Amino acid sequence: MTADESERDESIDPGSADVLVLRKGTHGTPVERYAEALRDRLPDLTVGLARTPGEEREAIETASFVTGMTLDEDLLAAADNLDVFACAYAGTGHLPLDGLADRGVAVTNASGVHGPNIGEHVLGAILHFTRRFHVAERRQRRREWRHYQAHELQGSTVTIVGLGAIGRAVCDRLDPFGVDTIGVRYSPEKGGPTDDVIGFDEEAFHAALARTDYLVLACPLTETTRGLIDRAAFQTLDPNAVLVNIARGPVVETDALVDALRSNWIRGASLDVTDPEPLPEEHPLWNFGNVQITPHNAGHTPKYYDRLADIVATNARRFTEEGSDADLENQVLP
């Protein structure tokens, strides 16, 4: 972007823009980069960025196409002309969905944006435990040159709960490793990229757990998945199994997980999400040598705004050309 272009973009009145970007960024990356990415993809439309609460309240009164990380009820109440809200997160549970539905607002999400980076995170976590790098790290800190036994991923069974964009990305990255895969989804009749596909029926699910070496949670948090990995699940898993959770913390019963680790019901766990979150400083999960904890970091990628802008720009063009009849990518409401 040239200096002249930057000055021109900053002079755009957010209230008169074709696409309004709200002020909250994500992953520590300035939201200006998101606005810039949209402008690069929408040279024939104006993209306005509201940088203060006051600008947001004023601009959203006339905006028809708005994108941002969140939209609270007060801001929605001021959105008299809103037709589309393009959520910049894959999850939309934090939005006032009832209010948006009542107003007839189309809502889209950022599904697919995280596939490559979270797929790599999961693969790294699996390899971490397969080759037992956590053991090597401890011995390196002690300057101890002593061999240890490791594992081999080939021939293992990986069960992936959730076959959305992230679950499919995990499958793609596991494909060269010669593993057997089981997918768990709400509609198993639709099939999927895994060798076997099952539903959430308890008997079928526990039968899959009994075969599992690596259990990957990549599902949304719903009534079905809340507490899915409970004491019975941990006792059904083989003692050599490893849990990888990049879904939501409450999918796992935390007390049952702690008991499973203390009782050697599982070999280890890689947790990008926890319940509670953030994990309190005094929580016992910090102290297990066979637990890898990352601070809800699997979603971070320097490509986030670029991938997000690809989706949102496509929808902005469709909306501009077709209006409320437009078929929008990643539409979750109505």
Side-chain angles (χ1 to χ4, degrees):
M1 179 178 290
T2 66
D4 289 343
E5 289 173 325
S6 178
E7 290 176 4
R8 183 189 67 215
D9 290 335
E10 289 179 358
S11 68
I12 294 172
D13 176 11
S16 64
D18 298 304
V19 177
L20 172 63
V21 180
L22 301 182
R23 62 192 168 93
K24 185 181 184 297
T26 190
H27 298 309
T29 306
V31 72
E32 282 84 356
R33 295 189 188 176
Y34 178 34
E36 290 170 8
L38 285 171
R39 289 172 184 136
D40 287 344
R41 290 158 176 77
L42 297 169
D44 298 327
L45 300 179
T46 55
V47 177
L49 172 61
R51 287 300 291 115
T52 69
E55 283 186 352
E56 283 185 340
R57 286 191 298 271
E58 182 177 353
I60 207 166
E61 290 178 0
T62 55
S64 58
F65 192 106
V66 177
T67 181
M69 307 295 160
T70 189
L71 178 70
D72 62 35
E73 296 199 12
D74 289 342
L75 204 55
L76 175 59
D80 294 333
N81 295 303
L82 184 61
D83 291 309
V84 178
F85 180 70
C87 182
Y89 289 136
T92 56
H94 63 291
L95 298 177
L97 294 176
D98 290 342
L100 287 160
D102 289 344
R103 288 169 170 263
V105 177
V107 177
T108 64
N109 68 10
S111 178
V113 170
H114 285 307
N117 48 289
I118 295 185
E120 291 172 4
H121 182 100
V122 170
L123 183 59
I126 289 175
L127 291 173
H128 175 93
F129 279 96
T130 299
R131 300 310 301 170
R132 300 186 72 200
F133 290 142
H134 54 296
V135 176
E137 289 166 2
R138 287 199 301 270
R139 296 187 181 183
Q140 180 178 348
R141 286 196 300 270
R142 295 194 296 257
R143 301 177 185 179
E144 180 182 358
W145 185 274
R146 183 162 60 92
H147 289 274
Y148 58 90
Q149 293 185 332
H151 302 271
E152 188 171 296
L153 183 56
Q154 181 172 278
S156 299
T157 297
V158 182
T159 295
I160 303 162
V161 182
L163 292 180
I166 292 172
R168 294 194 301 270
V170 171
C171 290
D172 290 343
R173 282 151 183 79
L174 286 170
D175 188 60
F177 287 88
V179 300
D180 295 322
T181 52
I182 303 171
V184 184
R185 66 184 307 176
Y186 288 104
S187 304
E189 66 276 5
K190 293 182 179 179
T194 51
D195 297 313
D196 295 312
V197 181
I198 65 170
F200 285 94
D201 174 75
E202 184 175 287
E203 185 174 346
F205 183 60
H206 280 181
L209 292 182
R211 299 167 48 196
T212 297
D213 297 297
Y214 296 91
L215 175 61
V216 178
L217 305 180
C219 53
L221 179 63
T222 66
E223 290 185 6
T224 299
T225 61
R226 183 179 294 274
L228 178 70
I229 310 304
D230 55 10
R231 181 175 298 272
F234 283 119
Q235 291 178 335
T236 302
L237 285 164
D238 188 276
N240 278 319
V242 172
L243 169 70
V244 180
N245 189 6
I246 49 84
R248 288 293 183 267
V251 175
V252 177
E253 288 189 0
T254 301
D255 290 345
L257 171 60
V258 171
D259 288 345
L261 292 163
R262 285 174 172 162
S263 303
N264 295 317
W265 294 343
I266 59 173
R267 178 156 54 94
S270 176
L271 308 174
D272 189 57
V273 290
T274 60
D275 182 27
E277 186 176 310
L279 194 65
E281 185 178 349
E282 69 280 3
H283 201 281
L285 282 173
W286 288 112
N287 299 318
F288 288 100
N290 58 342
V291 174
Q292 178 189 50
I293 296 175
T294 50
H296 209 137
N297 210 62
H300 181 265
T301 168
K303 300 293 185 181
Y304 188 91
Y305 284 147
D306 287 328
R307 295 187 190 127
L308 174 62
D310 287 339
I311 297 169
V312 175
T314 296
N315 285 338
R317 282 193 295 269
R318 290 178 184 175
F319 175 73
T320 300
E321 295 167 2
E322 304 172 32
S324 59
D325 294 328
D327 181 18
L328 303 178
E329 186 176 345
N330 285 0
Q331 186 165 344
V332 296
L333 191 73

